[in-house]
Coordinates of all heavy atoms in Angstrom, one line a residue:
M1 N -29.4 15.5 34.2 CA -28.8 14.2 34.6 C -27.9 13.7 33.5 O -28.3 13.3 32.4 CB -30.0 13.2 34.8 CG -29.6 12.0 35.5 SD -30.9 11.2 36.4 CE -31.4 9.9 35.3
D2 N -26.7 13.8 33.9 CA -25.7 13.4 32.9 C -25.3 11.9 33.1 O -24.8 11.5 34.1 CB -24.4 14.2 33.0 CG -24.4 15.3 31.9 OD1 -24.9 15.0 30.8 OD2 -23.8 16.4 32.1
Q3 N -25.4 11.2 32.1 CA -25.0 9.8 32.1 C -23.7 9.6 31.3 O -23.8 9.6 30.1 CB -26.1 8.8 31.6 CG -27.0 8.5 32.7 CD -27.9 7.2 32.3 OE1 -27.6 6.6 31.3 NE2 -28.9 6.9 33.1
P4 N -22.6 9.3 31.9 CA -21.4 9.0 31.1 C -21.5 7.7 30.5 O -21.4 6.7 31.2 CB -20.3 9.1 32.1 CG -20.9 8.8 33.5 CD -22.4 9.2 33.4
G5 N -21.9 7.6 29.3 CA -22.0 6.3 28.6 C -20.6 5.7 28.3 O -19.6 6.4 28.4
P6 N -20.7 4.5 28.0 CA -19.4 3.8 27.7 C -18.8 4.4 26.4 O -19.5 4.8 25.5 CB -19.8 2.4 27.5 CG -21.2 2.4 27.1 CD -21.8 3.6 27.8
R7 N -17.5 4.6 26.4 CA -16.9 5.2 25.2 C -16.6 4.1 24.2 O -15.9 3.1 24.5 CB -15.6 5.9 25.6 CG -15.9 7.1 26.5 CD -14.6 7.9 26.6 NE -14.1 8.3 25.3 CZ -13.2 9.3 25.2 NH1 -12.8 10.0 26.3 NH2 -12.8 9.7 24.0
L8 N -17.2 4.3 23.1 CA -16.9 3.3 22.0 C -15.6 3.6 21.4 O -15.2 4.7 21.1 CB -18.0 3.4 20.9 CG -19.4 3.1 21.4 CD1 -20.4 3.3 20.3 CD2 -19.4 1.6 21.9
P9 N -14.8 2.5 21.2 CA -13.5 2.7 20.5 C -13.7 3.2 19.1 O -14.7 2.7 18.4 CB -12.9 1.3 20.6 CG -14.0 0.4 20.8 CD -15.1 1.1 21.5
R10 N -12.9 4.1 18.7 CA -13.1 4.6 17.3 C -12.3 3.6 16.4 O -11.2 3.2 16.7 CB -12.4 6.0 17.2 CG -13.1 6.9 18.1 CD -12.6 8.3 17.9 NE -13.1 8.8 16.6 CZ -12.9 10.0 16.1 NH1 -12.1 10.8 16.8 NH2 -13.4 10.4 15.0
R11 N -13.0 3.3 15.4 CA -12.4 2.3 14.5 C -11.8 3.1 13.3 O -12.5 3.9 12.7 CB -13.4 1.3 14.0 CG -13.7 0.3 15.1 CD -14.4 -0.9 14.4 NE -14.9 -1.8 15.5 CZ -15.6 -2.8 15.2 NH1 -16.0 -3.1 14.0 NH2 -16.0 -3.6 16.2
R12 N -10.7 2.7 12.9 CA -10.1 3.3 11.7 C -10.6 2.5 10.5 O -10.5 1.3 10.5 CB -8.6 3.3 11.8 CG -8.0 4.3 12.8 CD -6.5 4.2 12.8 NE -6.0 4.7 11.5 CZ -4.8 4.6 11.1 NH1 -3.9 4.0 11.9 NH2 -4.4 5.1 10.0
R13 N -11.1 3.3 9.6 CA -11.5 2.6 8.4 C -10.3 2.2 7.5 O -9.5 3.1 7.3 CB -12.4 3.5 7.6 CG -13.8 3.4 8.0 CD -14.7 4.3 7.2 NE -16.0 4.4 7.8 CZ -17.1 4.1 7.1 NH1 -17.0 3.9 5.8 NH2 -18.3 4.2 7.6
R14 N -10.2 1.0 7.2 CA -9.1 0.6 6.3 C -9.7 0.0 5.1 O -10.7 -0.8 5.1 CB -8.3 -0.5 7.0 CG -7.7 0.0 8.4 CD -6.4 -0.6 8.6 NE -5.5 -0.3 7.5 CZ -4.2 -0.2 7.6 NH1 -3.7 -0.4 8.8 NH2 -3.4 0.1 6.6
P15 N -9.1 0.3 4.0 CA -9.6 -0.3 2.7 C -9.3 -1.8 2.8 O -8.3 -2.2 3.3 CB -8.8 0.4 1.6 CG -7.6 0.9 2.3 CD -8.0 1.2 3.7
D16 N -10.3 -2.6 2.3 CA -10.1 -4.0 2.3 C -9.1 -4.4 1.2 O -9.4 -4.1 0.0 CB -11.4 -4.7 2.1 CG -11.3 -6.2 2.0 OD1 -10.3 -6.7 2.5 OD2 -12.2 -6.8 1.5
V17 N -8.0 -4.9 1.6 CA -7.0 -5.2 0.6 C -7.2 -6.6 0.0 O -6.5 -7.0 -1.0 CB -5.6 -5.1 1.2 CG1 -5.3 -3.7 1.5 CG2 -5.4 -6.0 2.4
G18 N -8.2 -7.4 0.5 CA -8.5 -8.7 -0.1 C -7.3 -9.6 -0.2 O -7.0 -10.1 -1.3
A19 N -6.5 -9.7 0.9 CA -5.3 -10.4 0.8 C -5.4 -11.9 0.4 O -4.5 -12.5 -0.2 CB -4.5 -10.3 2.2
L20 N -6.6 -12.5 0.8 CA -6.7 -13.9 0.5 C -7.0 -14.2 -0.9 O -6.6 -15.2 -1.4 CB -7.8 -14.4 1.4 CG -7.5 -14.5 2.9 CD1 -8.7 -14.9 3.7 CD2 -6.3 -15.4 3.2
T21 N -7.7 -13.3 -1.5 CA -8.1 -13.7 -2.9 C -7.3 -12.9 -3.9 O -7.5 -13.0 -5.1 CB -9.6 -13.3 -3.1 OG1 -9.8 -12.0 -2.8 CG2 -10.5 -14.2 -2.3
A22 N -6.4 -12.1 -3.4 CA -5.7 -11.2 -4.4 C -4.8 -12.0 -5.3 O -4.2 -13.0 -5.0 CB -4.8 -10.2 -3.6
K23 N -4.8 -11.6 -6.5 CA -4.0 -12.2 -7.5 C -2.6 -11.7 -7.3 O -2.3 -10.6 -6.8 CB -4.5 -11.7 -8.9 CG -3.7 -12.0 -10.1 CD -4.4 -11.3 -11.3 CE -3.6 -11.5 -12.6 NZ -2.2 -11.1 -12.4
R24 N -1.6 -12.6 -7.7 CA -0.2 -12.2 -7.5 C 0.2 -11.2 -8.6 O -0.3 -11.3 -9.8 CB 0.7 -13.4 -7.7 CG 0.7 -14.3 -6.5 CD 1.6 -13.7 -5.5 NE 1.8 -14.6 -4.3 CZ 2.8 -15.4 -4.1 NH1 3.7 -15.4 -5.1 NH2 3.0 -16.1 -3.1
H25 N 1.0 -10.3 -8.2 CA 1.5 -9.3 -9.2 C 2.5 -10.0 -10.1 O 3.2 -10.9 -9.7 CB 2.2 -8.1 -8.5 CG 1.3 -7.3 -7.8 ND1 0.4 -6.4 -8.4 CD2 1.0 -7.1 -6.4 CE1 -0.3 -5.8 -7.4 NE2 0.0 -6.2 -6.3
T26 N 2.6 -9.5 -11.3 CA 3.6 -10.0 -12.3 C 4.7 -9.0 -12.4 O 4.7 -8.1 -13.2 CB 2.9 -10.3 -13.7 OG1 1.7 -11.0 -13.5 CG2 3.9 -11.0 -14.6
W27 N 5.7 -9.1 -11.5 CA 6.7 -8.1 -11.4 C 7.7 -8.2 -12.5 O 8.2 -9.3 -12.8 CB 7.4 -8.2 -10.0 CG 6.5 -7.9 -8.9 CD1 6.2 -8.7 -7.8 CD2 5.9 -6.6 -8.5 NE1 5.4 -8.1 -6.9 CE2 5.2 -6.8 -7.3 CE3 5.8 -5.4 -9.2 CZ2 4.4 -5.8 -6.7 CZ3 5.0 -4.4 -8.6 CH2 4.3 -4.6 -7.4
Q28 N 8.0 -7.0 -13.0 CA 9.1 -6.9 -14.0 C 10.1 -5.9 -13.4 O 9.7 -4.8 -13.0 CB 8.6 -6.4 -15.3 CG 7.6 -7.4 -16.0 CD 8.2 -8.7 -16.5 OE1 9.4 -8.7 -16.8 NE2 7.4 -9.7 -16.6
E29 N 11.4 -6.2 -13.5 CA 12.4 -5.2 -13.0 C 12.2 -4.0 -13.9 O 12.1 -4.0 -15.1 CB 13.8 -5.8 -13.2 CG 14.1 -6.9 -12.2 CD 14.0 -6.5 -10.8 OE1 14.4 -5.3 -10.5 OE2 13.4 -7.2 -9.9
A30 N 12.3 -2.8 -13.2 CA 12.1 -1.6 -13.9 C 13.1 -0.6 -13.5 O 12.8 0.6 -13.1 CB 10.7 -1.0 -13.7
G31 N 14.4 -1.0 -13.4 CA 15.4 -0.1 -12.9 C 15.8 -0.4 -11.5 O 15.3 -1.4 -10.9
S32 N 16.8 0.3 -11.0 CA 17.3 0.0 -9.7 C 16.3 0.3 -8.6 O 15.6 1.4 -8.6 CB 18.5 0.9 -9.4 OG 18.2 2.3 -9.5
H33 N 16.0 -0.7 -7.8 CA 15.1 -0.6 -6.7 C 13.6 -0.4 -7.2 O 12.8 0.0 -6.4 CB 15.4 0.5 -5.7 CG 16.8 0.4 -5.2 ND1 17.4 -0.7 -4.6 CD2 17.8 1.3 -5.2 CE1 18.6 -0.5 -4.3 NE2 18.9 0.7 -4.7
R34 N 13.4 -0.7 -8.4 CA 12.0 -0.5 -8.9 C 11.5 -1.8 -9.6 O 12.3 -2.4 -10.3 CB 11.9 0.6 -9.9 CG 12.1 2.0 -9.4 CD 12.5 2.9 -10.5 NE 12.6 4.3 -10.0 CZ 11.7 5.2 -10.2 NH1 10.6 5.0 -10.9 NH2 11.9 6.4 -9.6
K35 N 10.3 -2.0 -9.5 CA 9.7 -3.1 -10.3 C 8.2 -2.7 -10.6 O 7.6 -1.9 -9.8 CB 9.8 -4.4 -9.6 CG 9.2 -4.5 -8.2 CD 9.4 -5.8 -7.6 CE 8.8 -5.8 -6.2 NZ 9.0 -7.2 -5.5
R36 N 7.8 -3.1 -11.7 CA 6.4 -2.8 -12.2 C 5.7 -4.0 -12.5 O 6.2 -5.0 -13.0 CB 6.6 -1.9 -13.4 CG 5.2 -1.4 -13.9 CD 5.4 -0.6 -15.2 NE 6.2 0.6 -15.1 CZ 5.6 1.8 -14.7 NH1 4.3 1.8 -14.4 NH2 6.3 2.8 -14.6
C37 N 4.4 -4.0 -12.2 CA 3.5 -5.1 -12.5 C 3.0 -5.0 -13.9 O 2.4 -4.0 -14.2 CB 2.4 -5.2 -11.4 SG 1.2 -6.5 -11.8
D38 N 3.2 -6.1 -14.6 CA 2.7 -6.1 -16.0 C 1.2 -6.0 -16.1 O 0.6 -5.4 -17.0 CB 3.1 -7.4 -16.7 CG 4.4 -7.2 -17.5 OD1 4.9 -6.1 -17.6 OD2 4.9 -8.3 -18.0
D39 N 0.5 -6.5 -15.1 CA -1.0 -6.7 -15.2 C -1.7 -5.4 -14.7 O -2.7 -5.0 -15.4 CB -1.4 -7.8 -14.4 CG -0.9 -9.1 -15.0 OD1 -0.7 -9.2 -16.2 OD2 -0.8 -10.1 -14.2
C40 N -1.3 -4.8 -13.6 CA -2.1 -3.7 -13.1 C -1.3 -2.4 -13.1 O -1.8 -1.4 -12.6 CB -2.5 -4.0 -11.7 SG -1.2 -4.1 -10.5
D41 N 0.0 -2.4 -13.6 CA 0.7 -1.2 -13.8 C 1.1 -0.6 -12.4 O 1.3 0.6 -12.3 CB 0.0 -0.2 -14.6 CG 1.0 0.7 -15.5 OD1 2.0 0.1 -15.8 OD2 0.7 1.9 -15.7
L42 N 1.2 -1.4 -11.4 CA 1.6 -0.9 -10.1 C 3.1 -0.8 -10.1 O 3.8 -1.7 -10.5 CB 1.1 -1.9 -9.0 CG 1.4 -1.5 -7.6 CD1 0.5 -0.3 -7.2 CD2 1.2 -2.6 -6.6
L43 N 3.6 0.3 -9.6 CA 5.1 0.5 -9.5 C 5.5 0.4 -8.1 O 5.0 1.1 -7.2 CB 5.4 1.8 -10.1 CG 6.9 2.2 -10.1 CD1 7.7 1.3 -11.1 CD2 7.1 3.6 -10.5
A44 N 6.4 -0.5 -7.8 CA 7.0 -0.6 -6.4 C 8.4 -0.1 -6.4 O 9.2 -0.4 -7.2 CB 7.0 -2.1 -6.0
I45 N 8.6 0.8 -5.4 CA 9.9 1.4 -5.3 C 10.5 1.2 -3.9 O 9.8 1.5 -2.9 CB 9.8 3.0 -5.6 CG1 9.1 3.3 -6.9 CG2 11.2 3.6 -5.6 CD1 8.8 4.7 -7.1
R46 N 11.7 0.7 -3.8 CA 12.3 0.5 -2.6 C 13.1 1.8 -2.2 O 13.9 2.3 -3.0 CB 13.3 -0.7 -2.6 CG 12.7 -2.0 -3.0 CD 12.2 -2.7 -1.7 NE 13.3 -3.2 -0.9 CZ 13.2 -3.5 0.4 NH1 12.0 -3.4 1.0 NH2 14.2 -4.0 1.0
R47 N 12.8 2.3 -1.1 CA 13.5 3.6 -0.7 C 14.1 3.4 0.7 O 13.6 2.7 1.5 CB 12.5 4.7 -0.6 CG 11.8 5.0 -1.8 CD 10.8 6.1 -1.6 NE 10.0 6.5 -2.7 CZ 10.5 7.3 -3.7 NH1 11.7 7.8 -3.6 NH2 9.8 7.7 -4.7
P48 N 15.3 4.1 0.9 CA 15.8 4.1 2.2 C 15.0 4.9 3.1 O 14.5 6.0 2.8 CB 17.2 4.7 2.0 CG 17.1 5.5 0.7 CD 16.1 4.8 -0.1
H49 N 14.7 4.4 4.3 CA 13.9 5.1 5.3 C 14.6 6.4 5.7 O 15.8 6.4 6.0 CB 13.6 4.2 6.5 CG 12.5 4.7 7.3 ND1 12.6 5.7 8.2 CD2 11.2 4.2 7.4 CE1 11.4 5.8 8.8 NE2 10.5 5.0 8.3
P50 N 13.8 7.5 5.8 CA 14.5 8.8 6.1 C 15.1 8.8 7.5 O 16.0 9.6 7.8 CB 13.4 9.8 6.0 CG 12.1 9.1 6.0 CD 12.4 7.7 5.5
Y51 N 14.5 8.1 8.5 CA 15.0 8.2 9.8 C 15.6 6.9 10.4 O 16.5 6.9 11.1 CB 13.8 8.6 10.8 CG 13.2 9.9 10.3 CD1 11.8 9.9 9.9 CD2 13.9 11.1 10.2 CE1 11.2 11.0 9.4 CE2 13.3 12.2 9.7 CZ 12.0 12.2 9.3 OH 11.4 13.3 8.8
A52 N 14.9 5.8 10.0 CA 15.4 4.5 10.5 C 16.4 3.9 9.5 O 16.4 4.2 8.3 CB 14.3 3.5 10.7
R53 N 17.2 3.0 10.0 CA 18.2 2.4 9.1 C 17.6 1.2 8.5 O 18.0 0.1 8.8 CB 19.5 2.1 9.9 CG 20.2 3.4 10.3 CD 21.5 3.0 11.1 NE 22.4 2.2 10.3 CZ 23.5 1.7 10.7 NH1 23.9 1.9 12.0 NH2 24.3 1.0 10.0
R54 N 16.7 1.4 7.6 CA 16.1 0.3 6.9 C 15.5 0.8 5.7 O 15.5 2.0 5.4 CB 15.1 -0.5 7.8 CG 14.0 0.4 8.3 CD 13.2 -0.3 9.4 NE 12.2 0.6 10.0 CZ 11.0 0.8 9.5 NH1 10.6 0.1 8.5 NH2 10.1 1.6 10.1
W55 N 14.9 -0.1 4.9 CA 14.3 0.2 3.7 C 12.8 0.2 3.8 O 12.3 -0.6 4.7 CB 14.7 -0.7 2.6 CG 16.1 -0.6 2.2 CD1 17.2 -1.0 2.9 CD2 16.7 0.1 1.1 NE1 18.4 -0.7 2.3 CE2 18.1 0.0 1.1 CE3 16.1 0.8 0.0 CZ2 18.9 0.5 0.2 CZ3 16.9 1.3 -1.0 CH2 18.3 1.2 -0.9
F56 N 12.1 0.9 3.0 CA 10.6 0.7 3.0 C 10.2 0.7 1.5 O 11.0 1.1 0.6 CB 9.9 1.8 3.8 CG 9.9 3.2 3.1 CD1 8.9 3.6 2.3 CD2 10.9 4.1 3.4 CE1 8.9 4.9 1.7 CE2 11.0 5.3 2.8 CZ 9.9 5.7 2.0
T57 N 9.0 0.3 1.3 CA 8.5 0.2 -0.1 C 7.4 1.2 -0.3 O 6.5 1.3 0.6 CB 8.0 -1.2 -0.3 OG1 9.0 -2.2 0.0 CG2 7.7 -1.4 -1.8
E58 N 7.5 1.8 -1.4 CA 6.4 2.7 -1.8 C 5.8 2.2 -3.1 O 6.5 1.8 -4.0 CB 6.9 4.1 -2.0 CG 5.9 5.1 -2.5 CD 6.5 6.5 -2.7 OE1 6.8 7.2 -1.8 OE2 6.9 6.8 -3.9
W59 N 4.5 2.1 -3.1 CA 3.8 1.6 -4.3 C 3.0 2.8 -4.9 O 2.4 3.6 -4.2 CB 2.8 0.5 -4.0 CG 3.4 -0.7 -3.4 CD1 4.0 -1.8 -4.1 CD2 3.6 -1.1 -2.0 NE1 4.4 -2.7 -3.2 CE2 4.2 -2.3 -2.0 CE3 3.2 -0.4 -0.9 CZ2 4.4 -3.0 -0.8 CZ3 3.5 -1.1 0.3 CH2 4.1 -2.3 0.4
T60 N 3.0 2.9 -6.2 CA 2.2 3.9 -6.8 C 1.5 3.3 -8.0 O 2.0 2.5 -8.7 CB 3.1 5.1 -7.3 OG1 4.0 4.7 -8.2 CG2 3.8 5.8 -6.2
R61 N 0.3 3.8 -8.2 CA -0.5 3.4 -9.4 C -1.3 4.6 -9.7 O -2.2 4.9 -9.0 CB -1.3 2.2 -9.1 CG -2.1 1.7 -10.4 CD -3.2 0.8 -10.1 NE -2.8 -0.5 -9.6 CZ -3.3 -1.1 -8.6 NH1 -4.3 -0.5 -7.9 NH2 -2.9 -2.3 -8.2
G62 N -1.0 5.2 -10.9 CA -1.8 6.4 -11.2 C -1.6 7.5 -10.1 O -0.5 7.8 -9.8
E63 N -2.7 8.0 -9.6 CA -2.6 9.0 -8.5 C -2.6 8.4 -7.1 O -2.6 9.1 -6.2 CB -3.8 10.0 -8.7 CG -3.7 10.8 -10.0 CD -4.9 11.6 -10.2 OE1 -5.9 11.6 -9.4 OE2 -5.0 12.3 -11.2
Q64 N -2.7 7.1 -7.1 CA -2.8 6.5 -5.7 C -1.4 6.1 -5.3 O -0.5 5.8 -6.2 CB -3.6 5.2 -5.8 CG -5.1 5.5 -5.8 CD -5.9 4.2 -5.7 OE1 -6.0 3.4 -6.7 NE2 -6.4 3.9 -4.6
S65 N -1.1 6.1 -4.0 CA 0.2 5.6 -3.5 C 0.0 5.0 -2.2 O -0.9 5.3 -1.4 CB 1.2 6.8 -3.5 OG 0.9 7.6 -2.5
W66 N 0.9 4.1 -1.8 CA 0.8 3.3 -0.6 C 2.3 3.4 0.0 O 3.2 3.4 -0.8 CB 0.4 1.9 -0.8 CG -1.0 1.7 -1.3 CD1 -2.1 1.4 -0.6 CD2 -1.4 1.8 -2.7 NE1 -3.2 1.3 -1.5 CE2 -2.7 1.5 -2.8 CE3 -0.7 2.0 -3.9 CZ2 -3.5 1.5 -4.0 CZ3 -1.4 2.0 -5.1 CH2 -2.8 1.7 -5.1
N67 N 2.4 3.3 1.3 CA 3.7 3.4 1.9 C 3.8 2.4 3.1 O 2.9 2.3 3.9 CB 3.9 4.8 2.5 CG 4.6 5.7 1.5 OD1 5.7 5.4 1.1 ND2 3.9 6.7 1.1
T68 N 4.8 1.6 3.2 CA 5.0 0.7 4.3 C 5.1 1.5 5.6 O 4.6 1.0 6.7 CB 6.1 -0.2 4.2 OG1 7.2 0.4 3.6 CG2 5.7 -1.4 3.3
P69 N 5.7 2.7 5.7 CA 5.8 3.4 7.0 C 4.4 3.7 7.5 O 4.2 3.9 8.7 CB 6.6 4.7 6.7 CG 7.4 4.3 5.5 CD 6.6 3.4 4.7
Q70 N 3.4 3.8 6.6 CA 2.0 4.1 7.1 C 1.3 2.8 7.4 O 0.1 2.8 7.8 CB 1.2 4.8 6.0 CG 1.7 6.2 5.6 CD 1.0 6.7 4.4 OE1 -0.1 6.3 4.1 NE2 1.6 7.7 3.8
G71 N 2.0 1.7 7.3 CA 1.4 0.4 7.6 C 0.6 -0.2 6.5 O -0.1 -1.2 6.7
D72 N 0.8 0.3 5.3 CA 0.1 -0.3 4.2 C 0.7 -1.6 3.7 O 1.9 -1.8 3.8 CB 0.2 0.7 3.0 CG -0.7 1.9 3.3 OD1 -1.6 1.9 4.1 OD2 -0.4 3.0 2.6
K73 N -0.1 -2.5 3.3 CA 0.3 -3.7 2.7 C 0.4 -3.6 1.2 O -0.1 -2.6 0.7 CB -0.6 -4.9 3.1 CG -0.8 -5.1 4.6 CD 0.0 -6.3 5.0 CE -0.1 -6.4 6.5 NZ -1.4 -6.6 7.0
T74 N 1.0 -4.5 0.6 CA 1.1 -4.5 -0.8 C -0.3 -4.4 -1.4 O -1.2 -5.2 -1.1 CB 1.8 -5.7 -1.4 OG1 3.0 -5.9 -0.7 CG2 2.0 -5.6 -2.9
P75 N -0.6 -3.4 -2.2 CA -1.9 -3.3 -2.8 C -2.2 -4.5 -3.7 O -1.3 -5.1 -4.2 CB -1.9 -2.0 -3.6 CG -0.6 -1.3 -3.3 CD 0.3 -2.3 -2.7
P76 N -3.5 -4.9 -3.8 CA -3.9 -6.0 -4.6 C -3.7 -5.7 -6.1 O -3.6 -4.6 -6.5 CB -5.4 -6.2 -4.3 CG -5.8 -4.9 -3.9 CD -4.7 -4.2 -3.2
C77 N -3.5 -6.8 -6.8 CA -3.4 -6.7 -8.2 C -4.7 -6.6 -8.8 O -5.5 -7.5 -8.9 CB -2.6 -7.9 -8.8 SG -2.1 -7.7 -10.5
T78 N -5.1 -5.4 -9.2 CA -6.4 -5.1 -9.8 C -6.1 -4.4 -11.2 O -6.0 -3.2 -11.2 CB -7.3 -4.3 -8.9 OG1 -6.5 -3.1 -8.6 CG2 -7.7 -5.0 -7.7
P79 N -6.1 -5.2 -12.2 CA -5.9 -4.6 -13.5 C -6.9 -3.5 -13.8 O -8.1 -3.8 -13.4 CB -5.9 -5.8 -14.5 CG -5.7 -7.0 -13.7 CD -6.1 -6.7 -12.3
P80 N -6.6 -2.5 -14.4 CA -7.5 -1.4 -14.7 C -8.7 -1.9 -15.5 O -8.5 -2.8 -16.4 CB -6.7 -0.3 -15.4 CG -5.5 -1.0 -15.9 CD -5.2 -2.2 -15.0
A81 N -9.8 -1.4 -15.3 CA -11.0 -1.7 -16.0 C -10.8 -1.3 -17.5 O -10.0 -0.4 -17.8 CB -12.3 -1.1 -15.4
D82 N -11.6 -1.9 -18.3 CA -11.6 -1.5 -19.7 C -11.8 0.0 -19.9 O -12.7 0.6 -19.3 CB -12.6 -2.2 -20.5 CG -12.4 -3.7 -20.6 OD1 -11.2 -4.1 -20.5 OD2 -13.3 -4.5 -20.7
P83 N -10.9 0.7 -20.6 CA -11.1 2.1 -20.8 C -12.4 2.4 -21.6 O -12.8 1.6 -22.5 CB -9.9 2.5 -21.7 CG -9.3 1.3 -22.2 CD -9.7 0.1 -21.3
A84 N -13.0 3.4 -21.2 CA -14.3 3.8 -21.8 C -14.2 4.1 -23.2 O -13.2 4.7 -23.6 CB -14.9 4.9 -21.0
Ligands
ZN1 ZN1 -0.4 -6.3 -10.3

């Protein structure tokens, strides 16, 4: 007896970016189309979109990176924890 149960929508897990409580980045110009946050060392780079006629922003911090084409929002300002 097969009962086709209701299909639950699959939820994509998204990291909580904490937009409401996030601290503002302290941007410093770091060259053409680049800026870097003094507090959390996040680097924002404006790049021309490879297919669309517009710009997108890529953020990098250490080994992490975020991209507006993937729907990412500006990462929160989270200064690195004290080095061990
Ligand atoms: Zn920051």
Side-chain angles (χ1 to χ4, degrees):
M1 198 153 96
D2 257 328
Q3 271 198 10
R7 292 189 63 159
L8 295 174
R10 301 187 72 178
R11 285 197 190 172
R12 289 182 66 191
R13 275 180 187 232
R14 303 214 57 152
D16 180 17
V17 292
L20 289 175
T21 56
K23 173 185 174 306
R24 284 281 186 100
H25 293 285
T26 309
W27 295 119
Q28 299 288 336
E29 291 299 321
S32 57
H33 307 307
R34 287 161 180 257
K35 54 186 181 177
R36 183 186 292 277
C37 176
D38 263 356
D39 293 335
C40 66
D41 213 33
L42 183 72
L43 181 66
I45 307 170
R46 298 273 290 163
R47 297 178 181 281
H49 196 281
Y51 307 117
R53 291 180 60 185
R54 58 193 173 88
W55 292 76
F56 72 93
T57 307
E58 178 183 279
W59 298 274
T60 58
R61 183 198 289 136
E63 292 174 0
Q64 286 185 282
S65 72
W66 298 261
N67 270 294
T68 40
Q70 295 173 22
D72 290 338
K73 301 258 172 64
T74 308
C77 192
T78 51
D82 293 331

